[in-house]
Amino acid sequence: MLTELLTTESEAATREAVNRASSTLHTGEPVALPTETVYGLAADALNPTAVARIFEAKERPSFDPLIVHLPNKTAYKDVADVPEDIQKVFTQLIETFWPGPLTIVLPKKALLSDEVTAGLPTVAIRMSNHPVFTKIIRNFGGPLAAPSANRFGKMSPTSAASVMKELEGRIPMIVDGGACSRGLESTIISITAGDPKPAIKILRPGPIGPEELKKFGKVDKVIGNPAVEENAPEAPGLLENHYAPTTPLRLLESPQDFSPEEGKRYALLSYRGQEKDGYLDLADWVELAILSPGSGRLAEAGLRLFHVLRQLDELGVDEIVAEPFPARGIGFAIQDRLKRASIKSQS
Ligand code: AMP
Ligand code: MG
């Protein structure tokens, strides 16, 4: 299959990309689209055959549910039920964070097929704020299932070129909307009523950090995603192994944790490249990749993480060594992704 790359470099090109992507989606084919978090592989969420094409292209196991994207804030009513006892906090959250990188798990409506939710009684929904994605989903006119546009177990793509590397020949179309502005997958939460405050569980850390969610309820940071893992007993821990480069990765807690082995080639993934942090002199690095040079900004580190990890992965070193990141704001999500990547390489 030929994979077409549509640009959005001019208004005319964008109009054409929007129309063509939308009509391809209507025929039941998947299309890779830019979002503010990472590139997604989108298909008509209400068409089980279209949804099956996503799983096929990604080689994704059927027990891993998809996120459903909405064309507007009120469209959640078409796919999910909001229990009365959380309606107030749900409304506050979507008024604050939508459109944006917050995904909320809710009881699903019957019309959503089991293919989308992997048989779970719940559905994960969000509304993207990417201008190109927004135009396409509005033109399409309904919910789109859209997991990250990578093959299963690989890192999420943050540019159209990375999608091409992952899925060329497997999907008909990619819309290039430039580099993603957040670069890390959305924060996923579930909400339950609580006394005196609602309880918000973070199922996957992301760009919206625990500090921002605290204003709306009692925040609980869950390690792993129990809703999904309980549903997939045949693959315990497998979902932990997401987000990993092929090269083994070691996440350090402090500089004392590491001394190089004779003859091995290492690359360093550094937060801000500062001597005083104590990592730069630990080895004769083949490559020193700095995510946010200078005093260090976590938002910049987050948006560059997967892009830089892909580059380091192509060097053919024996190991990628990662400095720890401050676990606040999006830094909590960066630490989460690096921990998962290092779990994979140790197993
Ligand atoms: P992505 O690959 O970025 O689309 O993310 C999909 C992830 O969302 C899955 O791997 C799950 O961790 C999570 N997810 C999707 N649906 C649900 C759900 N109903 N309950 C809990 N987590 C979900
Ligand atoms: Mg994914």
Side-chain angles (χ1 to χ4, degrees):
M1 180 191 298
L2 181 75
T3 303
E4 254 192 288
L5 185 63
L6 307 186
T7 77
T8 54
E9 276 165 353
S10 65
E11 266 180 44
T14 304
R15 261 197 308 277
E16 187 187 330
V18 169
N19 289 331
R20 294 206 40 220
S22 170
S23 46
T24 304
L25 290 165
H26 275 297
T27 66
E29 289 292 319
V31 178
L33 302 177
T35 82
E36 72 277 40
T37 56
V38 301
Y39 272 71
L41 183 59
D44 183 351
L46 302 181
N47 174 351
T49 318
V51 171
R53 296 272 294 107
I54 295 179
F55 283 91
E56 214 178 281
K58 282 180 57 97
E59 293 173 23
R60 183 171 174 122
S62 58
F63 56 73
D64 196 4
L66 307 180
I67 291 174
V68 173
H69 289 249
L70 306 173
N72 58 63
K73 271 190 207 171
T74 52
Y76 72 83
K77 293 177 184 156
D78 300 337
V79 292
D81 288 313
V82 182
E84 218 178 287
D85 56 1
I86 62 161
Q87 179 71 56
K88 191 172 156 212
V89 60
F90 172 75
T91 307
Q92 288 171 339
L93 285 166
I94 68 172
E95 285 306 325
T96 309
F97 296 110
W98 281 9
L102 183 69
T103 298
I104 305 177
V105 174
L106 290 172
K108 82 173 186 92
K109 283 248 197 291
L111 95 164
L112 261 193
S113 68
D114 279 343
E115 278 81 0
V116 179
T117 63
L120 290 172
T122 51
V123 58
I125 54 173
R126 92 167 180 103
M127 186 185 165
S128 165
N129 68 18
H130 193 287
V132 174
F133 188 94
T134 305
K135 285 195 177 105
I136 291 171
I137 195 169
R138 286 202 183 137
N139 186 301
F140 176 75
L144 290 172
S148 50
N150 51 277
R151 273 170 297 140
F152 184 72
K154 302 281 184 196
M155 280 179 291
S156 298
T158 53
S159 69
S162 300
V163 179
M164 198 52 111
K165 275 196 189 140
E166 288 284 329
L167 298 177
E168 184 167 19
R170 293 166 169 260
I171 57 170
M173 193 179 282
I174 300 171
V175 177
D176 187 346
C180 301
S181 62
R182 300 289 198 143
L184 279 186
E185 302 87 351
S186 61
T187 305
I188 305 181
I189 61 166
S190 66
I191 317 166
T192 44
D195 193 15
K197 280 177 161 187
I200 298 175
K201 259 193 201 157
I202 299 183
L203 303 175
R204 176 175 75 186
I208 312 278
E211 301 86 351
E212 283 173 274
L213 294 167
K214 254 200 302 221
K215 296 172 208 146
F216 302 90
K218 188 173 170 300
V219 175
D220 189 3
K221 305 175 211 167
V222 183
I223 304 299
N225 187 336
V228 172
E229 279 158 34
E230 274 161 29
N231 192 44
E234 69 272 32
L238 182 64
L239 299 169
E240 289 261 296
N241 291 354
H242 263 71
Y243 321 111
T246 312
T247 310
L249 183 143
R250 180 198 305 235
L251 173 62
L252 304 181
E253 276 176 35
S254 76
Q256 289 79 44
D257 288 351
F258 180 72
S259 44
E261 275 175 50
E262 191 67 37
K264 280 204 172 174
R265 301 170 76 243
Y266 299 96
L268 181 69
L269 180 73
S270 171
Y271 172 30
R272 48 191 192 169
Q274 292 220 3
E275 202 93 37
K276 65 175 182 207
D277 293 337
Y279 297 91
L280 300 190
D281 297 333
L282 288 178
D284 202 359
W285 309 109
V286 170
E287 179 78 27
L288 168 57
I290 304 169
L291 289 185
S292 179
S295 51
R297 285 189 300 128
L298 287 169
E300 183 182 25
L303 80 86
R304 296 192 61 224
L305 178 70
F306 287 138
H307 179 69
V308 169
L309 274 177
R310 278 178 185 273
Q311 289 176 333
L312 294 180
D313 207 12
E314 283 173 9
L315 294 175
V317 294
D318 294 298
E319 196 166 55
I320 299 168
V321 177
E323 289 181 12
F325 286 73
R328 61 184 142 80
I330 199 171
F332 180 54
I334 296 174
Q335 276 288 100
D336 168 77
R337 303 303 188 270
L338 290 173
K339 261 186 212 154
R340 287 167 194 254
S342 64
I343 291 169
K344 176 171 183 180
S345 55
Q346 282 160 22
S347 63

